[in-house]
Amino acid sequence: MDKNETRATIIRIGTDLISRQGFNATGIDAVLKEAGVPKGSFYYYFRSKEEFGLAVIDHFAERYDQRLDTFLNDEEVTPLNRIRNYLESGLARLEQNRCSKGCLIGNLGQELADQHERFRVRLDEIFRSWKERFAVCLREAQRAGELAPELDAGVAAGFILSGLEGAILRAKVMKSPQPLRDFIEILFASVLRRQA
């Protein structure tokens, strides 16, 4: 492998390990061992563990943006159904991994926001971009007549993001997907209730 491939492998393996163990509990040696990279080579690819962590965050965010695009830009379905399909897909993934991983960005936000300002700022940027994607979809739903025009799409988008992240956290703690099921049900029964 060339330098870029090796770096990408370290990031991919780091993303998986950090998703399961957290950032602080994931040792660089464990990542390098699983990647098949000699111990002393880490600083050839990253200046610090913090830089490595930011690369993992960016890698995850890039992949997650593609996932959001798949659902929220799907013009084959109505805007509200795009959001529902996205949330139902997240529920299926949560069930598939037995409520063990959760959202890497949410997990790192809880673990690192008070410890590392650079991480906090980057995680906040990602959350803001996700919120805006929901808001765009909600505005489309309003233009399509699915939602009342007086609904504040930005506030509702923030509610969706906060509710989703909270439901995922509770699902991990309870080892049950029920909190996310409940969130989806209440979200569409009240907040995103279709106009008559």
Side-chain angles (χ1 to χ4, degrees), residues 76-120:
E76 298 292 313
V77 295
T78 65
L80 282 187
N81 281 330
R82 293 175 204 168
I83 293 172
R84 181 181 282 281
N85 290 346
Y86 163 74
L87 294 172
E88 294 285 352
S89 163
L91 176 60
R93 289 175 87 136
L94 195 64
E95 290 171 331
Q96 190 175 38
N97 69 38
R98 297 185 182 106
C99 304
S100 64
K101 283 188 177 179
C103 169
L104 178 69
I105 302 303
N107 292 348
L108 291 177
Q110 290 171 344
E111 180 182 359
L112 300 173
D114 290 335
Q115 298 175 13
H116 296 277
E117 182 62 11
R118 283 182 70 197
F119 284 148
R120 187 200 64 75

Side-chain angles (χ1 to χ4, degrees), residues 20 37 81 176:
R20 286 186 275 132
V37 175
N81 281 330
S176 166

Side-chain angles (χ1 to χ4, degrees), residues 15 18-19 53-65 101-113 119-130 161 165 168:
T15 301
I18 291 169
S19 291
L54 290 167
V56 164
I57 289 169
D58 289 343
H59 170 72
F60 181 89
E62 185 178 304
R63 283 189 15 233
Y64 208 83
D65 282 347
K101 283 188 177 179
C103 169
L104 178 69
I105 302 303
N107 292 348
L108 291 177
Q110 290 171 344
E111 180 182 359
L112 300 173
F119 284 148
R120 187 200 64 75
V121 167
R122 182 63 184 118
L123 294 166
D124 185 46
E125 288 170 357
I126 293 165
F127 278 138
R128 286 172 188 264
S129 76
W130 293 354
L161 182 59
E165 289 295 326
I168 291 170

